[in-house]
Amino acid sequence: MPDRFIEVSLDKRGVSCTARLLDDRAPITCDAVWNALPLGGDVYHAKYARNEIYALIPPFAPEEPPLENPTITPIPGDLCYFTFTDTQLGTKSYGYETEAKHQGRTTVVDLALFYERNNLLINGDAGWVPGIVWGAVVDGLDRMADACQDLWRAGALGETLNFRRA
C-alpha cells in the first residue's frame, strides 16, 4: 500500500502540518481515521499530558480500534487516538465547560497531536492512559509547535483542530 498523508491544521491560526499514517503499525486505526476524514472540532490544550493539543469528537469507527501501537510516552509529531467514556471526561478537574460538545456522549474519541518532548500519559484520576500512535508528522512540526505554544499562552477559544486528507 502506498503511504497515506493527512493535513493537521489549526484553522484560525492558519497553520498546518503534514503527517504520514502509520499503516504498518496501526492498520485498523489508520483505516478507521482515513475512512472518516475530514474530522475535527474545538481544540483543547492538554492539562496533564503536557505538550498535546486535541479535539474531542463523536465515535466514527464501526468498532473502536484495539490498542495497537500503544504508548504512554508520545514523542514530538505523534498523532494519537484515545477513546473515553462520558464519565471519564465528566469531572470538573478536566476544565471542560458544561456546554462542551462532547458532554452527554457515551463514547468520546480524542484525536491528539503531540508537538514537543517530555510527555507522559498519566492522569491523576485514572492513572496510565495509553494511546494509539497512528500517524507521524513529516513536515511543518516547527510551525505547528509555535502555534501550539501560542494556543497554550493566548487561549484556545474559537480555534479548531482539523484532520483532512492531504
Side-chain angles (χ1 to χ4, degrees), residues 22-146:
L22 301 178
D23 286 301
D24 58 330
R25 297 181 182 171
I28 297 168
T29 306
C30 289
D31 281 345
V33 171
W34 185 259
N35 292 333
L37 291 174
L39 295 165
D42 293 340
V43 68
Y44 293 93
H45 194 288
K47 187 174 184 181
Y48 298 104
R50 201 156 183 192
N51 302 299
E52 171 196 12
I53 61 169
Y54 59 96
L56 300 173
I57 59 177
F60 51 83
E63 288 185 22
E64 286 305 310
L67 190 58
E68 53 184 359
N69 199 31
T71 190
I72 57 166
T73 56
I75 62 172
D78 276 352
L79 298 180
C80 289
Y81 181 109
F82 303 89
T83 303
F84 297 103
T85 66
D86 56 346
T87 57
Q88 287 175 300
L89 300 180
T91 64
K92 288 188 178 188
S93 64
Y94 293 102
Y96 302 121
E97 65 278 5
T98 56
E99 297 82 27
K101 293 177 184 172
H102 73 275
Q103 298 293 358
R105 294 184 194 146
T106 56
T107 303
V108 180
V109 172
D110 172 333
L111 293 182
L113 164 68
F114 290 84
Y115 64 89
E116 187 51 79
R117 298 178 53 175
N118 299 320
N119 303 295
L120 185 61
L121 300 179
I122 191 165
N123 176 287
D125 296 333
W128 298 109
V129 184
I132 300 167
V133 182
W134 59 275
V137 174
V138 295
D139 182 56
L141 184 59
D142 53 344
R143 295 183 308 273
M144 185 61 84
D146 288 344

